[in-house]
Amino acid sequence: MDMVWTGIIALIIGLVLGAVGAWIWLRQRGGGEGSVAELKKENERFREEVNEHFVQTAELINQLTDSYKAVFDHLSEGADKLVDQDAVRERMPRVSDREVRLKHIGSRDGEGA
């Protein structure tokens, strides 16, 4: 999730810099009625880009979540099929009374994450 916050912060910084740049550019052009209409159009285009960006970000996060779940399911199925439960229980006596799961196998003290 840290990457999501980093992306959001970067987006906000980009928006601020873009807005300042657009304001300076329009101000240097001399202003006037035509500039106000153009500024409104540019603002609308910019808002649409921001909306599209957030929709795409949400879709990518959903894909990432699905991929993470698929990897976890694959590892879990592999552990069920490939791991000798008796050998695991001998090596990890603290979890012998619980179902052996990947999170227990990977932890130092057998308590899981």
Side-chain angles (χ1 to χ4, degrees):
M1 272 318 231
D2 288 340
M3 290 181 64
V4 172
W5 285 112
T6 301
I8 291 171
I9 291 169
L11 174 67
I12 291 169
I13 291 171
L15 291 173
V16 169
L17 292 176
V20 169
W23 179 75
I24 291 171
W25 178 73
L26 289 171
R27 195 160 185 233
Q28 289 177 349
R29 288 188 54 214
E33 292 259 340
S35 295
V36 171
E38 288 179 30
L39 181 57
K40 286 181 180 180
K41 286 180 184 178
E42 182 63 29
N43 185 30
E44 185 60 36
R45 281 191 297 263
F46 179 74
R47 292 172 67 95
E48 185 60 32
E49 283 183 47
V50 170
N51 291 337
E52 288 176 19
H53 173 80
F54 279 111
V55 167
Q56 184 180 12
T57 300
E59 290 171 353
L60 292 171
I61 289 172
N62 286 339
Q63 290 174 9
L64 182 64
T65 301
D66 292 343
S67 295
Y68 176 80
K69 184 183 179 311
V71 169
F72 181 82
D73 290 345
H74 173 73
L75 289 172
S76 184
E77 289 172 12
D80 289 342
K81 290 178 185 176
L82 303 173
V83 174
D84 179 12
Q85 297 297 323
D86 294 331
V88 170
R89 284 190 175 91
E90 286 175 19
R91 293 181 185 154
M92 296 174 42
R94 285 183 240 162
V95 295
S96 62
D97 60 336
R98 297 187 294 183
E99 178 181 354
V100 177
R101 297 181 150 254
L102 290 175
K103 66 181 179 179
H104 299 304
I105 293 172
S107 66
R108 287 184 293 176
D109 63 357
E111 293 299 316

